[in-house]
Amino acid sequence: MQSVLREVGIAIGLPFEVLIKHFTASYSASRPALLGAWRFFRNRRQRVADGFCQPIYEAFMDEAVSSGRISAPGYFDEPPLRKAYLQAQWLSDSPMADRSGEMQRTIFPGRHIQPICTCSA
């Protein structure tokens, strides 16, 4: 069964550990698998944005400009200007990470800094 799941993971481009949600190593050892999964999810999100979100946005803009709700001079008359109006960047969240630890390693390389807890226990 495990070999079949490995093949499925390879076929869809998802690391085996992420596919079965079972990490046997430390966070540092599992991090490459998580980053690989992040690339997989980012590519999928981009395809959804390009194939679904962008056409809906374009239809919305066409209707809003033609009805006068949005003023966009030259929208229908000049194709390069329309393309500029329709240029959108579809954003999503960033990969799962220990951001405070990464930030500390970036600012203070080679030093481990304990976070300060400001809450009362």
Side-chain angles (χ1 to χ4, degrees):
M1 181 66 161
Q2 194 174 28
S3 61
V4 172
L5 289 174
R6 286 190 187 280
E7 292 294 325
V8 168
I10 291 169
I12 64 174
L14 195 60
F16 174 73
E17 295 87 358
V18 177
L19 181 66
I20 65 169
K21 295 183 184 177
H22 182 70
F23 298 94
T24 56
S26 67
Y27 173 76
S28 297
S30 300
R31 187 156 163 62
L34 291 171
L35 291 175
W38 172 248
R39 284 189 294 275
F40 169 81
F41 294 128
R42 185 183 58 217
N43 291 338
R44 285 284 170 105
R45 287 178 181 175
Q46 190 60 48
R47 284 198 305 239
V48 169
D50 292 343
F52 182 74
C53 299
Q54 187 65 29
I56 290 174
Y57 174 66
E58 290 176 12
F60 162 78
M61 283 295 291
D62 290 346
E63 193 275 329
V65 171
S66 65
S67 68
R69 284 186 298 192
I70 294 179
S71 174
Y75 182 82
F76 291 112
D77 301 330
E78 300 176 37
L81 195 54
R82 181 178 186 272
K83 185 178 178 183
Y85 279 119
L86 293 176
Q87 211 168 27
Q89 184 179 10
W90 300 95
L91 303 175
S92 63
D93 56 353
S94 59
M96 300 172 291
D98 176 15
R99 293 180 186 218
S100 64
E102 285 182 13
M103 179 77 67
Q104 290 172 0
R105 285 189 296 277
T106 302
I107 296 172
F108 305 105
R111 292 208 241 136
H112 178 71
I113 299 174
Q114 288 291 342
I116 299 170
C117 180
T118 58
C119 58
S120 58

